[in-house]
Amino acid sequence: MSAVNEDQGVDIDAPADAEITNCLNLASLRSFFLFAGAGSGKTRSLVNALVHVQKNFGDTLRMRGQRVGVITFTNAASDEIKRRLNFDPLIDVSTIHSFAWSLIDGLNNDIREWLRVELADDIVQLNVDEAKGRQGTKASVTRLGKIVSKTKRLGNLNNITRFVYSPTGDNHGRDALNHSEVLQLTSHFLNCKPTMQSILVGRYPILLIDESQDTNKHLIDALFAVQKEQKQRFALGLLGDMMQRIYNDGKEGLGRDLPADWATPGKKLNHRCPKRVVTLINKVRSTADTQQQQSRIDAVEGTVRFFILPSDTPEKSKVEQAIANHMAELTEDQSWREQKSYKSLTLEHRMAASRMGFLDMFAPLYSVESWRTSFLDGKLPISRFFTEEVLPLVTAKAAGDNFTVTRLMKACSPLLTPDALRNAGDTKAHLKNVSMAMDTLMKLWDAGGNPSLLDVLRCIEAHNLLDVPEVLKAHALMSQAPSERDVEEEVMLDSSEDERDVAVTAFLAAPFTQVEPFATYMSGVAHFDTHQGVKGLEFERVMVIMDDEEARGFSFKYGDLFGGKSTGDKTVESTRRLFYVTCSRACKSLALVAYSTAPQRIYDFVIAEGWFAPDEIVQKV
């Protein structure tokens, strides 16, 4: 479908794409910032620009041993761009952490000296804060733990010959850098070391950054410094929309006060949303900036409804299903009646976990900050053991799928390794024992049994059915399961040394029935996701669930946005941006559900702002 203007019948965004390709001429490089609002086809513009470089300058870049660098916000976005470009190695697409590490990997002496200064400064500040604070509090315990940890790390620096880092891992160990340090180091080296600037420009004469509004502000500042010094040899292209900045890590005001020699193309057309949603998101952002979008000439009108309900509404999951049924009748779209056919967006993962029934196993591991990244990426061994090995095995056995059971056991069980079969002596008897061990595991569900994760884990360990991750071994070998009171008491412990063990104990107390909905959610195919997690995605039908009390957050508060505080407040503006992002995911129809202790105030606010007409607001389902 072409991007046409309703009145003129021309491609209104063609000049923006042409301006970008003109900037990427190796003989006259020019940096640019592309404004690309929601649904404007930003990725398409990015890919078209890269194809232009491939066709016109690919041979020259290869001869020079250079490539085009592209920084994306997620691995999924990186994979999509690579796929569209046929995995051409000329285009180096990576996430920000992978990109940063590629520049500093191996600079061990420089990294060591930076850490020596940084750790010493941190220790001094922590001691100052501890002297001012109250002893014996949780904050004090945390500070003292950090002082011990950082002092030990500082003392070990000279023993480290090579620093290591994984962009997708947890990065434990004395030689490992964490995610924040990698970005700080890269930014520092780019700002302070001319050699690092030369390495970057020599490797990537063109560097494009997707979702630049959420890219780490320190790295953005450093890249601006490089561009200023190397503008004849280096083009920096930023693509994004400040209204879609939802992480505090991004740079405030990016796109304003750019150098005079930068190009500032802009895209006006929204290819994704129906006309009613485009009108809504234009209203929402009108107090933040002057950027306004146009609908496609062939866009459907679309339907929007705003539901305002009391915070203490009971059985919210049932209420939300009733809202979906209401949308089905209103839009004459029966797909709203099927949960898999619309996307529900919650403010926080816990809200989805509560609604989908896996909060008991989710909350403990999610609470461990150092595990959170790998946990949400599905890479944490503790949870992955149950989702990728135990659940498929139990599901296949329960379904009588012996072929799949055998395949899974051969892939995962120490009982069916070539060595185990060779050493078994009587292979037939050995296989019979394996089958009996599986039967013993399945007996946990006899007579309506509801085993905990710990029950399942101990049975697996006792019969050596699967290789239990090291972090779970001690729990698997404990003589008896902890009572609920034991778990509660352990959760109250303040010691940072006990944090992970306490989390695992609480996790294992959850019923095994929670594994399947948890796995579905983490795979991204569930009908739930978070407001933040769907940036860049689109869905025909969207339900946005806004519940400040349940989310218990502080960065985003819809009560503040809807008249609780004045425009310009930091929380109001961050929530406005998040609201814009969630609304702009909808391709056909949009249901917005606000739970509030002040329903009338919300009603008055959205009517006064002109966001909704009175007949678009529903206060009773």
Side-chain angles (χ1 to χ4, degrees), residues 102 191 214 250 297 362 404:
S102 73
N191 272 312
D214 275 321
I297 188 173
F362 179 87
T404 299

Side-chain angles (χ1 to χ4, degrees), residues 376 446 485 569:
L376 294 178
D446 282 355
R485 180 170 179 176
D569 175 82

Side-chain angles (χ1 to χ4, degrees), residues 436-487:
M436 290 173 62
M438 273 300 305
D439 290 340
T440 301
L441 175 63
M442 299 307 294
K443 285 180 181 178
L444 293 174
W445 286 270
D446 282 355
N450 185 25
S452 68
L453 295 176
L454 186 60
D455 294 330
V456 174
L457 176 68
R458 286 182 172 160
C459 185
I460 288 171
E461 172 65 21
H463 295 88
N464 200 29
L465 277 170
L466 298 170
D467 283 320
V468 173
E470 198 61 38
V471 69
L472 294 175
K473 280 277 189 184
H475 295 267
L477 296 171
M478 286 171 60
S479 60
Q480 61 180 24
S483 66
E484 289 185 14
R485 180 170 179 176
D486 291 334
V487 173

Side-chain angles (χ1 to χ4, degrees), residues 1-4 11 13-14 17 20 34 39-51 80-81 84-85 210 239 267 269-271 296:
M1 294 187 295
S2 60
V4 294
D11 186 345
D13 285 338
D17 288 338
I20 292 172
L34 170 69
S40 62
K42 171 171 55 66
T43 302
R44 184 181 62 184
S45 292
L46 174 58
V47 170
N48 288 344
L50 293 169
V51 169
E80 173 63 15
I81 293 171
R84 292 200 199 183
L85 295 167
D210 193 14
L239 300 89
K267 304 194 75 174
L269 209 65
N270 185 312
H271 295 266
R296 291 181 59 91

Side-chain angles (χ1 to χ4, degrees), residues 470-537:
E470 198 61 38
V471 69
L472 294 175
K473 280 277 189 184
H475 295 267
L477 296 171
M478 286 171 60
S479 60
Q480 61 180 24
S483 66
E484 289 185 14
R485 180 170 179 176
D486 291 334
V487 173
E488 291 174 1
E489 288 177 351
E490 287 192 75
V491 170
M492 297 299 292
L493 293 174
D494 279 335
S495 173
S496 58
E497 294 180 4
D498 293 314
E499 180 187 22
R500 295 184 179 195
D501 187 62
V502 169
V504 174
T505 299
F507 165 77
L508 291 173
F512 186 82
T513 50
Q514 296 192 8
V515 177
E516 185 171 8
F518 167 76
T520 301
Y521 179 71
M522 300 310 293
S523 68
V525 299
H527 64 282
F528 279 103
D529 209 324
T530 61
H531 291 194
Q532 300 91 329
V534 294
K535 188 171 68 167
L537 302 178

Side-chain angles (χ1 to χ4, degrees), residues 393-445:
L393 185 62
V394 169
T395 301
K397 184 66 175 176
D401 185 354
N402 292 326
F403 174 81
T404 299
V405 170
T406 301
R407 178 178 59 80
L408 292 170
M409 289 290 285
K410 283 183 176 179
C412 304
S413 177
L415 297 176
L416 294 185
T417 63
D419 284 345
L421 292 172
R422 233 182 347 258
N423 297 331
D426 187 340
T427 304
K428 186 175 180 179
H430 179 73
L431 293 176
K432 184 177 180 180
N433 289 333
V434 173
S435 179
M436 290 173 62
M438 273 300 305
D439 290 340
T440 301
L441 175 63
M442 299 307 294
K443 285 180 181 178
L444 293 174
W445 286 270

